[in-house]
Amino acid sequence: MVAMTDQKPGSGGAGSSIGGLQRSSAVEGIQDKVPERIVSGAKTALTAYGQATSRFRPLPDFLVIGTKKGGTTSMMSWLIDHPHVMRMFPRFQRRKSPHYFDINYARGEAWYRAHFPTRAARSLHARRTGVHPLVGEASPYYMFHPTAARRIHETIPDAKLIALLREPGSRAYSNYWDRVATGNEDLPTFEAALDAEAERLSSVSDESLRAPDAYSFDHDHHSYLARGRYAEQLRPIFDIVGRERVLVLAADGMFKDAQGTFDRVQDFLGLPAEPVPLRARNERSEKYPPIAPTTRERLTSYYAPHNRDLFELLGQDFGWL
């Protein structure tokens, strides 16, 4: 049985900040001083307005699809700082995703469209700058969710996808501590979480997540090893969406050569090259302990065949072996 929750992560309407990028201190300061009933009322009004005008709101041009703890927040932050990438609606809240193709698919396309700028706003930008703006969103669950690729292709077949892949052992370890920090992991050690993963995911299958309203908390939050098996996630995406529409980047090199990486992204999306402040975002201030050598050896052994499969699929070796 797929676990259902009363409110799924990222299930707020247009204007919700769940799962979003960090808000500016100015916005936070204003919202902290406004009574909750007024804030709630404003969000309800924005949601209603967005959906009422959804037919005038084009779907996004690109999606950053993964991986979790692989730099998706940083990449999306860089992109929305680009002068020709428009923010989601409402623009004062720096959201990165409404989580439509993974968690909120049952809400329907009109709900999804409500999160993006209107066609008139896009046209105004084009007239002012001479450049047609792009709009996008980012959910690291899109790459891992078994039905997201099909949903994306059926809804926005011309969209371009960006996948950031981090060395899977480090990704899994970072993912565990992130889940601890957010209160979504109660096992006391990373090793215990690895040992429990198979049992936690035993009742979850591609079929069980196919229904528009299906959701598994364990699949979303406790898939530390599984999310690092990148080839088995990318192969169906290539088949469904088309290899030419997917840009795959090594997150490990993203911050070693941030400008070079972002230049590739701008070129892939057809954006004019512009200077953008390229700094890491969404990093936890509290540092976690170093991984145990025996656990690192366990992960290296586990991922070796999966990494070889990935490098063969991509025709590129990221040096993780």
Side-chain angles (χ1 to χ4, degrees):
M1 179 70 68
V2 177
M4 304 299 292
T5 61
D6 292 333
Q7 175 154 345
K8 301 173 186 176
S11 61
S16 168
S17 61
I18 296 175
L21 302 174
Q22 187 176 3
R23 294 174 297 169
S24 68
S25 58
V27 171
E28 288 179 333
I30 293 172
Q31 291 190 353
D32 288 344
K33 296 177 182 178
V34 177
E36 178 59 31
R37 61 182 178 82
I38 296 178
V39 173
S40 178
K43 288 182 177 181
T44 300
L46 286 170
T47 298
Y49 174 73
Q51 291 194 253
T53 57
S54 63
R55 66 186 183 279
F56 305 117
R57 299 177 180 276
L59 291 165
D61 305 287
F62 68 87
L63 305 173
V64 183
I65 62 171
T67 183
K68 183 70 178 176
K69 303 309 295 179
T72 55
T73 297
S74 293
M75 180 56 69
M76 194 61 199
S77 296
W78 297 354
L79 282 164
I80 64 174
D81 283 342
H82 192 286
H84 301 302
V85 174
M86 298 185 71
R87 298 181 187 275
M88 293 175 62
F89 174 80
R91 70 182 311 275
F92 66 82
Q93 290 202 50
R94 294 169 63 89
R95 304 191 68 215
K96 75 174 182 179
S97 181
H99 289 280
Y100 177 61
F101 296 110
D102 48 18
I103 296 174
N104 292 310
Y105 196 63
R107 290 174 176 263
E109 188 177 313
W111 179 87
Y112 185 50
R113 286 178 178 269
H115 293 80
F116 301 105
T118 61
R119 187 173 293 105
R122 287 196 185 205
S123 297
L124 178 60
H125 180 101
R127 289 196 301 272
R128 286 177 171 174
T129 67
V131 178
H132 183 76
L134 300 183
V135 175
E137 55 126 330
S139 168
Y141 196 18
Y142 285 168
M143 190 174 85
F144 185 59
H145 195 284
T147 61
R150 178 64 64 187
R151 293 169 177 176
I152 291 168
H153 182 63
E154 291 175 351
T155 306
I156 40 176
D158 295 329
K160 294 184 177 181
L161 312 183
I162 300 169
L164 295 159
L165 308 183
R166 181 178 177 183
E167 189 279 311
S170 299
R171 191 222 66 80
Y173 193 58
S174 178
N175 195 175
Y176 168 78
W177 286 105
D178 181 73
R179 293 314 191 198
V180 170
T182 57
N184 291 313
E185 177 58 82
D186 56 6
L187 292 180
T189 67
F190 176 54
E191 292 75 14
L194 295 183
D195 293 340
E197 181 168 332
E199 176 61 26
R200 282 170 156 180
L201 302 183
S202 62
S203 63
V204 184
S205 66
D206 290 3
E207 187 60 35
S208 70
L209 291 174
R210 195 173 305 280
D213 61 347
Y215 175 73
S216 165
F217 182 86
D218 284 326
H219 188 266
D220 186 3
H221 292 279
H222 299 148
S223 45
Y224 306 113
L225 289 171
R227 281 186 186 246
R229 301 195 298 262
Y230 299 132
E232 65 185 48
Q233 299 165 51
L234 287 174
R235 193 170 278 112
I237 293 174
F238 291 167
D239 291 342
I240 294 169
V241 175
R243 178 68 181 88
E244 71 284 353
R245 307 201 73 81
V246 186
L247 176 64
V248 179
L249 300 168
D252 311 76
M254 178 176 168
F255 298 110
K256 293 179 182 177
D257 182 15
Q259 189 60 59
T261 300
F262 195 60
D263 287 346
R264 289 186 63 189
V265 170
Q266 291 179 101
D267 182 66
F268 173 69
L269 296 178
L271 286 167
E274 296 282 354
V276 172
L278 304 178
R279 61 182 180 83
R281 311 289 176 93
N282 200 32
E283 292 185 317
R284 297 276 177 202
S285 58
E286 184 178 353
K287 299 301 182 181
Y288 40 78
I291 190 169
T294 53
T295 304
R296 168 55 73 183
E297 291 174 6
R298 173 183 179 181
L299 293 171
T300 299
S301 176
Y302 177 84
Y303 282 121
H306 299 291
N307 289 340
R308 284 192 290 268
D309 190 20
L310 173 69
F311 301 156
E312 182 177 349
L313 175 66
L314 300 180
Q316 181 180 3
D317 189 332
F318 292 150
W320 296 337
L321 297 178

